[in-house]
Structures are given as C-alpha cells and as structure tokens.
C-alpha cells in the first residue's frame, strides 16, 4: 500500500504543474490580444469616414460633375432658344397689341351685338387672345423683349367706334374690322414661322396661327364680311 501511494505522488505533481503552465500561458496571451484589438480599432477609425464628416475628395468630384452637367444643360437650353431677330420682336409686339384691343372688342360683342353669330365670334376672340396674351408675356420675359402695354392709336379708335355702335350697325362694323385685322396678321404669322431661328417664336407662331385661323372662320360665319374687306386684305398682303 505504501508503494502505491508513493507512485501516485509524482503523477499528481506533474498534473498540477501542467495546469499551472497552461494558466501562465493564457495570462501571458491576454496583453497581446488586447494590443491587437486596440491596433485594429485605430486602423478602422483612420480609414473609415466619421458619420457626418465631409468627404472632401468624393464631394468635390460630385460637385464638379453636377456643375458641369448644369452648365451643359443651360448651354443646350440657350442653343434651343436661338437668335431673336427684329422680325421676332415685332411679331411679339403685334400679338400683344392685338390682344389689347380684340379682347375688349369681344366683350363689347356680348353687350352691343344683335347677332348671335357675332356674339359667338366675340367669345372666340376673348378666349383665344387671352391665351395668346399670357403666352406672349411669358415668351417676351424669357427672351428679354420689351412689349407694349397698350394698343396702337388706330386699334384704340376701332374700339371707340364699336363702343358707339349698337345692334346691326355694331354687327357689321365688328365683323369687317376684325376680319380685316385677322386677315393681315395671318399672312405675317406665316412669314415669321418660315423665317425665325428661335424655337420659342416658332411655338408662338404655331399657336397664333391656330388662334387666328379659328377667328377668321367664326367671323366669316357671321355672313357680314363685305367684299371690300377681302380686297383690302389682299392689297395689304400682296404689296
């Protein structure tokens, strides 16, 4: 029995020593692991951008690219608008002045006319020239063109004549004055549309053409336009 106990003592001592060595080894690794973790965290902080911090290189690149795109778009838009000629400017002024006397004429037709066809023509004038007047003011602003704020002296005189007329007299005067005016401007619109280099003026001429054609038709539908009026328009557009 004594010999067996003596044999077990070395085994116990060796086991205890092995455990002690393992503990020492683990304790020795702890500082190393801590150092590695700290170094890794510092490296991540240096390479990763802080939330909310400006990214100088990327932001500068995006800003420069966005600015370049904006300049390109502006250049394209400017190129689309094109040149504004004296004919273009005169056209815008003429459209503006037409609305300034034909809208009041259309309103007078609702109170002074005796013919329902004349009243209907007056409503077409009010509607068509109200839309054209808004368009001409927008285009003039975009193109930097000064447009008048009142009708010509001749146009104002026509309005005064219509104010003084009633019934059948008004109907006849209205139909012939407006038909002559629209016939003359109709020819001018075609010339402007054919010669202008400006996209806005082309769009405006197209709209004006459709409006004036509609007005020509409703004025002719009154049955009151004289042959002398057609001859006057012919002489004006062929001279």
């Amino acid at each position: 029995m004594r010999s067996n106990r003596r044999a077990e003592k070395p085994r116990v001592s060796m086991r205890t020593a092995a455990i002690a060595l393992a503990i020492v080894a683990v304790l020795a690794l702890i500082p190393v692991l801590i150092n590695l973790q700290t170094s890794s965290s510092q490296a991540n902080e240096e390479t990763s951008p802080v939330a909310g911090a400006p990214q100088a290189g990327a932001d500068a690149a995006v800003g420069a690219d966005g600015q370049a795109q904006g300049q390109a778009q502006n250049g394209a838009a400017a190129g689309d608008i094109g040149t504004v000629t004296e004919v273009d400017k005169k056209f815008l002024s003429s459209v503006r002045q037409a609305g300034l006397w034909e809208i009041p004429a259309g309103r007078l037709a609702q109170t002074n006319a005796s013919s329902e066809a004349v009243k209907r023509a007056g409503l077409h004038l009010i509607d068509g020239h109200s839309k054209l007047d808004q368009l001409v003011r927008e285009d003039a602003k975009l193109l930097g063109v000064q447009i008048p704020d009142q009708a010509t002296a001749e146009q104002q005189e026509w309005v005064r004549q219509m104010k003084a007329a009633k019934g059948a007299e008004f109907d006849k005067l209205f139909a012939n004055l407006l038909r002559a005016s629209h016939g003359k401007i109709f020819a001018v619109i075609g010339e402007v549309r054919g010669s202008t280099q400006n996209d806005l003026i082309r769009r405006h001429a197209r709209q004006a053409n459709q409006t004036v054609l509609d007005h020509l038709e409703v004025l002719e539908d009154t049955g009151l336009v004289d042959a002398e009026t057609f001859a006057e328009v012919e002489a004006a557009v062929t001279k």
Side-chain angles (χ1 to χ4, degrees):
M1 294 293 292
R2 291 181 180 177
S3 60
N4 290 337
R5 290 177 181 174
R6 290 176 182 173
E8 289 176 359
K9 286 182 179 180
R11 292 180 183 177
V12 173
S13 298
M14 292 177 63
R15 188 179 301 165
T16 302
I19 292 172
L21 288 173
I23 292 172
V24 171
V26 169
L27 292 174
L29 286 173
I30 288 174
V32 176
L33 293 173
I34 291 173
N35 288 335
L36 288 174
Q37 186 175 3
T38 301
S39 299
S40 177
S41 299
Q42 292 175 347
N44 289 335
E45 289 177 357
E46 291 175 357
T47 57
S48 300
V50 178
Q55 301 178 42
D59 287 352
V62 171
D65 184 56
Q67 185 178 5
Q69 289 179 358
Q71 291 173 347
Q73 291 173 355
N74 291 337
D80 291 341
I81 289 176
T83 303
V84 183
T85 66
E86 290 303 315
V87 173
D88 296 337
K89 294 177 183 179
K90 184 177 180 180
F91 170 69
L92 292 177
S93 294
S94 297
V95 173
R96 170 66 168 159
Q97 288 175 318
L100 288 172
W101 83 275
E102 291 181 27
I103 292 174
R107 291 173 180 155
L108 283 171
Q110 309 313 304
T111 58
N112 292 17
S114 60
S115 167
E116 290 301 319
V118 170
K119 292 180 180 180
R120 175 173 174 267
L123 291 175
H124 278 245
L125 292 181
I126 295 170
D127 179 64
H129 281 288
S130 294
K131 293 175 181 176
L132 277 182
D133 190 66
Q134 180 180 352
L135 183 62
V136 75
R137 285 184 281 111
E138 291 173 354
D139 287 354
K141 184 176 180 180
L142 286 171
L143 298 172
V145 176
Q146 293 292 325
I147 54 175
D149 57 4
Q150 62 181 4
T152 67
E154 182 181 35
Q155 292 166 341
Q156 293 178 45
E157 175 59 27
W158 293 338
V159 174
R160 282 193 290 270
Q161 291 176 25
M162 285 187 283
K163 284 181 178 179
K166 302 287 183 181
E169 180 187 2
F170 176 90
D171 296 345
K172 190 81 170 174
L173 183 63
F174 176 91
N176 285 277
L177 282 175
L178 272 299
R179 177 57 181 80
S181 175
H182 280 80
K184 294 170 185 176
I185 193 65
F186 192 58
V188 174
I189 292 170
E191 293 178 3
V192 172
R193 177 61 184 85
S195 64
T196 186
Q197 303 175 50
N198 190 290
D199 284 353
L200 287 179
I201 298 296
R202 290 191 187 102
R203 179 193 66 169
H204 200 116
R206 180 171 62 252
Q207 182 64 42
N209 182 76
Q210 295 170 352
T211 301
V212 171
L213 179 59
D214 172 70
H215 294 174
L216 286 172
E217 291 175 347
V218 294
L219 288 165
E220 291 163 5
D221 287 345
T222 65
L224 299 171
V225 181
D226 295 332
E228 291 81 0
T229 298
F230 291 105
E232 177 189 341
V233 173
E234 181 182 5
V237 300
T238 57
K239 65 180 179 180

